[in-house]
């Protein structure tokens, strides 16, 4: 099955990863209400990607249905996911495997980033742009298995225990991301 069976035209749509890992229980996720505002403000054709658990959480928390959004969450295998990313105009992702896959496929990618040490997790390509708000407590998550200097061991622990209400992610305005989309993908 190719992307064209879904009526996607090459380089005419953006891929958006609305959440990553742990069924929504990750400090790497963009705040659900802010993600909804971002998606609601976008007029481009959008393809949503993620697994079945993320699809369930997306439909429960964000539940946005617009004619320009094709929700393929939980409907793709790895090969199809690669194809969808490869033929897109670009990707909006979180700090995740999708960020690295987009880099590997040489696709322009805007990464919504907050809690990890960017110098340790970033891709080293010119096709990736990071939208971050560095706050006084970031980075707060250990980036490598042997690093123990940060406040939290992983993104799930940060999600559950952040005493700053995940300010690093919640302080990113959806319009900043939209502006980055306009400037970076055009």
């Amino acid at each position: 099955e190719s992307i064209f069976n879904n009526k996607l035209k090459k380089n005419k749509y953006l891929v958006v990863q609305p959440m990553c890992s742990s069924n929504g229980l990750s400090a790497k996720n963009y705040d659900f209400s802010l993600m909804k505002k971002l998606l609601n403000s976008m007029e481009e054709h959008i393809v949503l990607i993620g697994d079945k658990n993320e699809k369930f959480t997306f439909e429960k928390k964000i539940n946005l249905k617009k004619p320009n959004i094709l929700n393929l969450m939980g409907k793709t295998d790895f090969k199809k996911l690669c194809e969808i990313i490869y033929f897109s105009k670009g990707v909006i992702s979180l700090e995740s495997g999708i960020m690295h896959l987009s880099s590997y496929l040489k696709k322009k990618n805007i990464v919504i980033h907050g809690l990890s040490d960017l110098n340790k997790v970033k891709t080293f390509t010119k096709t990736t742009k990071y939208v971050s708000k560095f706050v006084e407590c970031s980075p707060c998550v250990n980036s490598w298995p042997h690093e123990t200097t940060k406040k939290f061991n992983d993104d799930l622990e940060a999600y559950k225990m952040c005493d700053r209400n995940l300010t690093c992610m919640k302080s990113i305005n959806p319009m900043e991301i939209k502006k980055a989309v306009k400037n970076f993908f055009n």
Side-chain angles (χ1 to χ4, degrees):
E1 186 179 3
S2 83
I3 61 164
F4 302 105
N5 291 348
N6 290 315
K7 298 183 175 113
L8 299 176
K9 295 181 180 172
K10 185 178 175 185
N11 296 318
K12 298 290 184 190
Y13 62 93
L14 295 177
V15 174
V16 177
Q17 175 192 25
M19 65 185 59
C20 68
S21 71
S22 305
N23 197 21
L25 302 178
S26 171
K28 292 180 181 180
N29 284 324
Y30 192 40
D31 181 76
F32 293 128
S33 64
L34 296 174
M35 179 59 78
K36 185 172 186 172
K37 283 180 185 176
L38 173 65
L39 292 171
N40 213 13
S41 74
M42 297 181 73
E43 297 171 11
E44 297 88 351
H45 290 284
I46 295 170
V47 176
L48 300 178
I49 58 170
D51 67 25
K52 289 177 184 173
N53 290 331
E54 293 161 356
K55 177 183 193 250
F56 174 77
T57 303
F58 176 84
E59 290 173 350
K60 184 178 171 186
K61 300 276 189 182
I62 297 176
N63 196 26
L64 183 65
K65 294 178 180 162
K66 289 178 57 184
N68 64 318
I69 297 177
L70 176 62
N71 188 346
L72 294 182
M73 297 175 79
K75 297 179 181 176
T76 61
D77 58 20
F78 185 71
K79 182 181 179 213
K80 183 155 178 120
L81 174 66
C82 290
E83 192 176 76
I84 289 166
I85 291 171
Y86 183 78
F87 288 110
S88 71
K89 185 177 185 178
V91 180
I92 300 172
S93 73
L94 303 164
E95 180 203 322
S96 66
I98 297 299
M99 171 183 83
H100 294 288
L101 179 60
S102 299
S103 176
Y104 177 77
L105 295 171
K106 296 179 174 61
K107 292 310 294 187
K108 285 188 174 184
N109 181 19
I110 294 172
V111 178
I112 304 168
H113 167 268
L115 61 148
S116 300
D117 186 340
L118 192 55
N119 292 318
K120 294 182 180 178
V121 300
K122 71 180 176 181
T123 65
F124 293 96
T125 64
K126 293 179 181 176
T127 58
T128 306
K129 177 176 180 51
Y130 297 88
V131 178
S132 301
K133 290 288 185 195
F134 293 100
V135 294
E136 64 189 44
C137 53
S138 65
C140 66
V141 172
N142 292 327
S143 300
W144 299 104
H146 305 295
E147 181 184 13
T148 58
T149 59
K150 302 294 186 246
K151 187 172 183 177
F152 303 113
N153 291 316
D154 57 36
D155 56 306
L156 179 59
E157 187 176 282
Y159 176 82
K160 291 178 177 179
M161 299 174 61
C162 176
D163 59 356
R164 309 258 177 136
N165 197 24
L166 300 172
T167 302
C168 59
M169 293 299 279
K170 290 183 178 180
S171 63
I172 300 170
N173 186 316
M175 293 309 111
E176 291 176 67
I177 301 164
K178 190 172 177 179
K179 183 179 179 181
V181 166
K182 182 180 177 190
N183 294 334
F184 195 58
F185 293 141
N186 293 324

